[in-house]
Amino acid sequence: MDMDSASSVVLQALTQATSQDTAVLKPAEEQLRQWETQPGFYSVLLNIFNNHMLDVNVRWLAVLYFKNGIDRYWRRVAPHALSEEEKTSLRAGLITNFNEPVNQIATQIAVLIAKVARLDCPRQWPELIPILLESVKGQDGLQQHRALLTFYHVTKTLASKRLAQDRRLFQDLASGIYSFACSLWSHHTDCFLQQIYARDEAAALSSLERTLLSLKVLRKLTVHGFQEPQQNMEVMGFLNAVFERLKQFLECCRQVGSDSTCREKLEKTIILYTKVLLDFLEYHPCAFIPLIQRSLEFAVTYVFTPAGEGVTFERFIVQCMNLIKMIVKNDAYKPAKNIDDSKPESLEAHKIKTAFFTHPTLTEIGRRLVSHYFLLTEEELAMWEEDPESFAVEETGGDSWKYSLRPCTEVLFLDIFHNYSQTLTPVLLDMVQNLQGPTNVEDSVQLLMKDAVYNAVGLAAYELFDNVDFDQWFKNQLLGELQVSHHRYKLIRRRVIWLIGQWISVKFKSDLRPLLYEVILSLMQDPDLVVRIETATTLKLTVDDFEFRTEQFLPYLESIFGLLFQLLQQVTECDTKMQVLHVISCVIERVGIQIRPYVGCLVQYLPLLWKQSEEHNMLRCAILTTLIQLVQGLGAESKNLYPFLLPVIQLSTDVSQPPHVYLLEDGLELWLVTLENSPAITPELLRIFQNMSALLELSSENLRTCFHIVNGYIYLSATEFLQNYAESLCRSFCDLLKDITNEGQVQVLKVVEIALKVSPMLGAHMFQPLLPAVFRGIVDGERYPVVMSTYLGIMGRVLLQNSSFFSSLLSQMASECNQEMDQLLGNVIEMWVDRMDNITQPERRKLSSLALLSLLPSDNSVIQDKFCGIVNICVEALHDVMTEDPETGTFKDCMLMSHFEEPKLSDDEEPPTEQDKRKKLGFLILH
């Protein structure tokens, strides 16, 4: 591409590609795509985005095309790779000057330089770092900033490389430039502090930006640039200086106030300082040991003493808490159970921690966490009133709180309580004791304090197991709290029912459950929505618990289930509906068929909810889970749901529909349980199987469920199903068997075996293309025992129940193998007898014995020669299946059933599904 003529046409195409008119935009994008592989194209782009006179949008687009080209064509081995000559020219052009006036474009240029550096620095681009360092030293403010920005992105990219050789190169780089990076950071920091104290905010903001960039560079060099950083005095000096700088910057926060233009960037810099400490602790825990004492003193002072008042902010407190937490629970700082096996550095760290966490310090931390950080804030209380659903969801772990103060505080409390429970348990119990009895509803401070203390008792439930008689507390104190109906006491009602949920699996007597169900029934009618949602969550924990007894719950089932359904209708947020649906699903799962009289309203409502949730796939997943439990609970009666159920399955398992990405797994599970509980096939249920071919092609982790679905259709209506789908299913199986694990092969073969078992003639005919491979596997002596066992099971079915088909198969295989039929039959029998031990299931052993016995009436000499071997394995199989009748003392076949009878079920046992009955009936007929 000639440079002069090319520049104008590329510039024109880029200009058109920024158009909002698709008629102009699309052809331009296509033209640019074609030029991507043309020599000289990226040189033209470089000239365009370096020309500050051109339109900003055009230059921005040129940078993006250049950046994408690096990913695709910079490597030597890439198709249409750039020539070495052009790359040399481009590298030189990228670092000719650092004077980009537009911040966003400057950042993108820095990123693309870093991308090239990742591939070429230092071998093909040794001059990059020296030029960057020289430019950073310059007096021109813009050039200095842009060079520093590029320096950061290059350092960040090189630090991210993980191959041993690349890490060594980065360590060499770090050792060479660390002193310069430290002095650069120190210089800009001092400049900022001088300017901020002089109240020159404009200059201070500029210096702060440079401080931030140089600190980002130092963070990468410090954390990733040294194998043993504790041996480097400059590294440890910098880390120690971090604490002083943090104090200075926190004081600056106090000075500038919350409205200052510097405030946001100041807080960002403070957080970056804490990230330096946290990263270093994560990557170099042993090197961090000299910093443990100072880190704990710093964090505890600012978070748990008045020193932090007026200067700290939420994210800084979160970072300090994370620092304490990482030190407390770091495995490298814990001595081994046998003290003699401990490493010296572990003992040293443990000694420092023990000396710091004295009884007074722990007591203050514990009390402060509960009495200050656990208190609901004004903002949270306002949210409770104005948007109760959002409050309830966030309190139970909503995504928006993932990095907020409350969950961080609770995790720190748990970690400290776990490690220092002997000290903190009396502290917490004392706080509980001080709050005994109902609290005055007019005393908002005490109400909030009780909420916080009960929160702590719930979080520490497992740690307090031996110290709290929860059953007595429940009866003597908590029940009374729940009966206070005043509007302001909703804080305590909601917290107490949450607290019970935390203790239900820790220590809660079974005979108190009915009393708890009465409480739940009452609170599900509480006027406050948050209380009702929290009660539903505790109900889920209760029915999920190991100690749950259905008979205790049944007297309350109708009322509680009705109230759950009302709650599901009342809430409007997607997340809350999901939460309530999970509770409903759990209840249905635990009570099983007992739910049948009470699900009418839910069954009528779910189609409407499904339609309303068209844009909310996660809510639809919750509906699918509920439907799975509903179908299992309703059993054969679930056929009444088919007008709604079958289209839902159809959509969820159709891989051509975008929602399948979210719905497929649950949709397949619903499909399976629908088949298992179906009393009879319907045309609509049969039609859904059209989705299966595409699902089998996916070969995903859901393949096993797909095989179970196929088996379900065979048990349900083998003739109709095989006549409609066996041909396409056989093609899919043939494709699968070309590239599948042994376990997958067994799953495919089991489908064939079940088809032969349920419909011997039709099954053999429909799956005939698969049988030669099975025959060859037996003759060749398949090495994998489970596969061989399945081969013999299939061939046993064919031989015993369709002997004429076996004869034609034997003739076909003899012709293919160029052998006499008798010789091939002899080989098969010999291998069968020899590998009988591969068959572990008694049913299959009996089947193989009967199949081989069916050959004995023949006067074929080959069969007569194998007589002893056949009889021997048959006697062994007979021993396997015969048991002594204790009443008569005679022996009988344990697999023989003379009539079909419904089994007697215990209270804890689920009744058999329709498919279970079909299997048992088939077993009776076949045996």
Side-chain angles (χ1 to χ4, degrees), residues 574-575 577-578 581-582 613-625 661-663 666:
C574 179
D575 286 342
K577 284 190 179 291
M578 286 170 56
L581 274 173
H582 285 314
S613 62
E614 189 171 356
E615 302 300 319
H616 304 282
N617 287 310
M618 297 313 294
L619 177 53
R620 284 194 160 185
C621 286
I623 296 172
L624 288 172
T625 304
V661 175
Y662 304 94
L663 308 179
D666 293 317

Side-chain angles (χ1 to χ4, degrees), residues 675-678 715 897 900 902-903 910-923:
L675 285 169
E676 290 174 342
N677 290 279
S678 177
Y715 282 122
M897 293 191 302
F900 181 72
E902 289 284 354
E910 288 292 321
T913 64
E914 295 300 305
Q915 182 161 301
D916 293 332
K917 296 174 185 176
R918 287 190 284 270
K919 285 182 179 180
K920 202 160 192 178
L921 188 60
F923 190 90

Side-chain angles (χ1 to χ4, degrees), residues 178 228-240:
Y178 197 81
E228 294 183 343
Q230 67 272 30
Q231 305 293 336
N232 188 301
M233 290 179 62
E234 281 188 306
V235 171
M236 301 311 290
F238 162 68
L239 290 167
N240 275 293

Side-chain angles (χ1 to χ4, degrees), residues 89-278:
S89 171
L90 292 172
R91 283 193 294 261
L94 285 170
I95 54 175
T96 301
N97 50 56
F98 297 97
N99 59 354
E100 172 56 52
V102 182
N103 284 332
Q104 294 90 335
I105 294 178
T107 300
Q108 290 301 318
I109 292 173
V111 170
L112 71 84
I113 289 173
K115 280 179 174 288
V116 176
R118 183 180 182 88
L119 299 171
D120 290 358
C121 185
R123 290 189 178 85
Q124 286 81 37
W125 207 3
E127 67 274 17
L128 172 63
I129 301 298
I131 288 177
L132 285 174
L133 297 183
E134 195 60 38
S135 300
V136 164
K137 296 174 188 175
Q139 296 303 307
D140 182 276
L142 179 66
Q143 185 180 26
Q144 186 187 69
H145 178 272
R146 298 317 191 214
L148 190 52
L149 177 68
T150 306
F151 187 32
Y152 159 62
H153 281 285
V154 169
T155 308
K156 176 184 175 183
T157 301
L158 295 180
S160 69
K161 299 177 79 172
R162 286 291 169 260
L163 292 178
Q165 187 177 8
D166 292 327
R167 290 172 70 177
R168 281 195 297 272
L169 285 171
F170 186 72
Q171 286 164 10
D172 291 342
L173 170 67
S175 62
I177 66 173
Y178 197 81
S179 294
F180 173 76
C182 280
S183 62
L184 190 68
W185 159 75
S186 184
H187 167 72
H188 289 306
T189 305
D190 289 338
C191 286
F192 163 73
L193 292 171
Q194 289 167 11
Q195 290 156 352
I196 203 71
Y197 288 135
R199 302 193 180 278
D200 185 355
E201 286 210 4
L205 190 60
S206 177
S207 293
L208 185 56
E209 173 67 24
R210 287 159 175 73
T211 301
L212 188 61
L213 285 172
S214 56
L215 183 57
K216 285 180 176 181
V217 172
L218 264 181
R219 176 188 173 199
K220 295 300 178 185
L221 295 176
T222 303
V223 174
H224 301 290
F226 300 90
Q227 201 162 357
E228 294 183 343
Q230 67 272 30
Q231 305 293 336
N232 188 301
M233 290 179 62
E234 281 188 306
V235 171
M236 301 311 290
F238 162 68
L239 290 167
N240 275 293
V242 163
F243 296 101
E244 292 305 319
R245 293 303 195 185
L246 268 169
K247 291 176 184 177
Q248 292 171 335
F249 275 66
L250 286 164
E251 282 304 312
C252 288
C253 280
R254 191 199 304 272
Q255 180 176 331
V256 301
S258 57
D259 299 329
S260 168
T261 53
C262 283
R263 180 71 187 213
E264 183 182 346
K265 194 145 292 210
L266 194 54
E267 290 188 3
K268 190 181 288 188
T269 308
I270 289 169
I271 293 305
L272 186 58
Y273 275 118
T274 62
K275 285 181 178 179
V276 171
L277 296 173
L278 287 165

Side-chain angles (χ1 to χ4, degrees), residues 16 31 93 137 140 159 170 192 220 229 298 334 371 411 469 523 550 582 680 698 724 728 761 774 839 853:
Q16 291 170 344
Q31 181 62 73
K137 296 174 188 175
D140 182 276
F170 186 72
F192 163 73
K220 295 300 178 185
F298 175 85
K334 295 176 182 176
S371 64
V411 169
D469 186 342
L523 289 179
T550 306
H582 285 314
L698 282 179
N724 279 277
S728 64
M761 301 294 181
V774 174
I839 306 174
L853 281 172

Side-chain angles (χ1 to χ4, degrees), residues 535-550:
T535 304
T537 303
T538 293
L539 173 63
K540 181 179 184 296
L541 294 169
T542 306
V543 300
D544 250 349
D545 183 54
F546 181 73
E547 294 286 329
F548 176 78
R549 297 287 178 268
T550 306

Side-chain angles (χ1 to χ4, degrees), residues 378-479:
E378 289 183 11
E379 291 81 2
E380 289 165 343
L381 292 171
M383 180 187 279
W384 186 332
E385 295 296 333
E386 296 163 12
D387 190 0
E389 285 189 51
S390 294
F391 175 84
V393 169
E394 290 195 343
E395 273 284 282
T396 53
D399 284 343
S400 62
W401 278 23
K402 191 179 292 183
Y403 302 107
S404 67
L405 185 55
R406 181 167 300 283
C408 179
T409 305
E410 292 177 352
V411 169
L412 177 62
F413 172 80
L414 274 174
D415 287 331
I416 289 184
F417 205 98
H418 176 72
N419 284 276
Y420 303 101
S421 58
Q422 287 185 326
T423 303
L424 290 173
T425 295
V427 175
L428 183 56
L429 294 181
D430 181 59
M431 296 179 82
V432 173
Q433 190 63 38
N434 291 336
L435 293 166
Q436 287 291 9
T439 303
N440 185 348
V441 294
E442 303 298 331
D443 191 344
S444 59
V445 174
Q446 282 298 92
L447 285 174
L448 289 170
M449 182 61 72
K450 179 174 276 191
D451 174 81
V453 172
Y454 282 6
N455 186 15
V457 175
L459 292 171
Y462 285 99
E463 304 295 339
L464 295 171
F465 179 87
D466 294 322
N467 302 98
V468 174
D469 186 342
F470 193 80
D471 297 327
Q472 286 299 316
W473 195 31
F474 172 69
K475 289 187 290 186
N476 299 337
Q477 166 87 12
L478 300 180
L479 270 178

